[in-house]
Amino acid sequence: MSDQIPESWREVLEPVLATPEARQLGGFLKAQEAAEQQIYPPRGQRLRALELTPLDEVKVVILGQDPYHGPGQAHGLCFSVPEGVKVPPSLDNIYKELNDDLGVTIPGHGNLEHWARQGVLLLNNSLTVEAHKAGSHAKMGWSAITDAVVSAVADRAEPSVFILWGSHAQGKAARIPELANADRHLILKSVHPSPLSAYRGFFGSKPFSQANTFLQKNGREPIRW
């Protein structure tokens, strides 16, 4: 897997990739593919978040749980789907909050690559999932790798924003000392944008304007959400 890691992330991730957990993950994925199990996103898109958002360009981190597990949905960015795919309910609520917060016109698609290219790291905790089985790869070794990604961002001198929607994202951040003890970053928490919880505190939380205000205050370009 190390040869697939984008150059800007290689130094911080290579030590993790040498651990038993990462080797177990690599073996597991090979075995799943050999057994012709359908895995999302497809090979070549699993590290897309790291490819589009180099470490030295990260301004905002948004944490998701695992990829969408339906056909054609997952393409390596949390909450995002390729153009032409129906916008999922959670992303629909994210768009509604964005419109209310900043007046941004709701797009007619769910592709968030334009966020990623501006420095928004759209990172799932697990970067693969078996088709139609949410959480199926959650305990297969991805957490060690994605923890290292978040730690690498939190350990940088540049002030960044961590947007943590839901208990899963907040729990992940709490396991990372560099983030939990950092006072130079902005950490925004709310309930998840899922239709099951969005009305309990996600709507009205204004994460996008808060993120941009913080970035500008610290001399960084705001995100064109």
Side-chain angles (χ1 to χ4, degrees):
M1 187 182 298
S2 60
D3 60 338
Q4 302 171 35
I5 300 295
E7 183 64 33
S8 73
W9 294 96
R10 192 160 294 166
E11 183 177 352
V12 298
L13 291 183
E14 280 188 338
V16 183
L17 295 176
T19 62
E21 292 86 354
R23 290 198 295 270
Q24 174 187 333
L25 171 64
F28 168 76
L29 291 174
K30 287 181 181 178
Q32 290 284 288
E33 289 167 345
E36 299 185 350
Q37 294 284 1
Q38 183 68 59
I39 297 175
Y40 298 130
R43 181 189 288 271
Q45 296 184 16
R46 295 168 188 171
L47 302 178
R48 188 68 171 152
L50 305 184
E51 293 170 1
L52 292 180
T53 313
L55 175 57
D56 60 355
E57 297 180 14
V58 176
K59 298 176 184 176
V60 178
V61 179
I62 297 179
L63 293 177
Q65 189 163 349
D66 59 356
Y68 295 119
H69 52 82
Q73 292 181 302
H75 66 147
L77 306 176
C78 72
F79 294 106
S80 179
V81 293
E83 292 191 32
V85 175
K86 183 180 179 181
V87 175
S90 291
L91 181 55
D92 186 51
N93 285 339
I94 290 170
Y95 280 163
K96 289 176 182 176
E97 175 61 20
L98 176 59
N99 175 259
D100 182 68
D101 186 4
L102 292 175
V104 174
T105 300
I106 296 177
H109 62 82
N111 192 330
L112 301 180
E113 287 189 4
H114 64 294
W115 291 7
R117 295 182 190 278
Q118 296 179 70
V120 181
L121 181 63
L122 296 166
L123 184 72
N124 278 312
N125 186 45
S126 299
L127 301 187
T128 57
V129 68
E130 185 177 340
H132 311 298
K133 293 184 179 181
S136 52
H137 292 184
K139 298 181 180 180
M140 297 303 171
W142 279 119
S143 291
I145 295 171
T146 53
D147 278 359
V149 169
V150 176
S151 290
V153 176
D155 201 38
R156 296 169 64 231
E158 292 83 356
S160 298
V161 182
F162 292 81
I163 298 178
L164 310 176
W165 291 326
S167 58
H168 183 87
Q170 292 164 25
K172 180 178 180 64
R175 297 200 304 269
I176 303 168
E178 291 90 341
L179 178 57
N181 299 324
D183 57 7
R184 63 183 173 275
H185 304 302
L186 176 64
I187 301 174
L188 300 175
K189 300 179 180 180
S190 81
V191 298
H192 196 275
S194 161
L196 297 175
S197 57
Y199 287 93
R200 299 202 302 267
F202 174 74
F203 290 132
S205 61
K206 300 188 180 301
F208 308 102
S209 59
Q210 289 190 72
N212 277 354
T213 297
F214 176 84
L215 291 172
Q216 289 177 296
K217 179 181 177 182
N218 286 279
R220 309 196 73 184
E221 286 290 322
I223 304 299
R224 298 184 304 278
W225 301 100

